[in-house]
Amino acid sequence: MKKARTASLTLDDFLPYRLSVADNVVSQRIARVYAAEDGLSTQEWRLIAVLGEDGERSQRELVQRTRMDKVPVSRAARSLEERGLVRRATSQSDARSRRLTLTASGRGLYRRVAPAALEAEAEVLAELSPAERAVLRSLLERVERAAIRALERPL
């Protein structure tokens, strides 16, 4: 019989914790841009950013693209629709599916806020050289792909 291994967890050395803390702090900094000026939540901004970049998408596609749960995506979509920033329409091919697109007001908000979000990102990354930024981006993409593969495997 194998002896149970005792794990010693130190949060500051635990990658998921470090990623979560970094995400929270960076997201809070970027959120100042769209929350202060336009009263948007992080989830609402993510939908606007995806729709501004990708164009019309279904709620299912937004869930996949943002990796957010479907309930926050649905709430954010509904809120954006109520504010006149997004138009939600029933899909022609699937009556259960909703297609979202930015309204003229939503496109204007995206064009106004995106440059400020990029400025906030540059502020957060200012201590990294361009080469370090590229390495960080590459490493994060690799970690994300590995996590996605792990999620797809059965338990």
Side-chain angles (χ1 to χ4, degrees):
M1 181 164 28
K2 280 188 174 180
K3 189 175 184 180
R5 190 176 134 213
T6 304
S8 175
L9 177 67
T10 304
L11 282 178
D12 288 338
D13 295 332
F14 187 56
L15 180 65
Y17 176 76
R18 297 302 311 173
L19 289 172
S20 179
V21 169
D23 171 55
N24 289 340
V25 175
V26 171
S27 291
Q28 288 170 10
R29 171 55 190 103
I30 305 296
R32 282 184 175 176
V33 171
Y34 50 79
E37 189 170 324
D38 298 288
L40 296 173
S41 71
T42 299
Q43 295 81 8
E44 291 167 342
W45 168 247
R46 285 183 185 161
L47 296 191
I48 286 175
V50 169
L51 294 170
E53 185 176 318
D54 296 351
E56 181 179 289
R57 291 288 174 252
S58 71
Q59 285 189 204
R60 179 183 299 252
E61 290 168 328
L62 289 167
V63 165
Q64 291 171 338
R65 174 84 153 87
T66 63
R67 300 304 257 173
M68 293 183 339
D69 290 331
K70 58 185 172 182
V71 171
V73 167
S74 181
R75 282 187 192 136
R78 194 170 25 262
S79 173
L80 292 170
E81 181 182 35
E82 290 169 1
R83 294 174 62 185
L85 299 170
V86 165
R87 185 174 14 271
R88 286 192 321 165
T90 302
S91 171
Q92 302 265 339
S93 60
D94 181 358
R96 297 168 297 165
S97 178
R98 302 283 180 265
R99 305 282 304 169
L100 282 78
T101 186
L102 291 178
T103 63
S105 295
R107 286 190 302 277
L109 181 133
Y110 174 73
R111 285 192 300 270
R112 187 176 72 253
V113 174
L118 289 170
E119 286 177 25
E121 177 197 40
E123 178 186 321
V124 168
L125 296 175
E127 292 188 24
L128 302 179
S129 71
E132 288 171 323
R133 291 177 194 185
V135 168
L136 175 61
R137 187 171 316 279
S138 175
L139 291 172
L140 288 172
E141 288 168 357
R142 288 170 56 192
V143 168
E144 182 180 345
R145 284 193 305 269
I148 289 168
R149 282 193 305 272
L151 282 171
E152 292 170 347
R153 283 195 305 266
L155 290 177

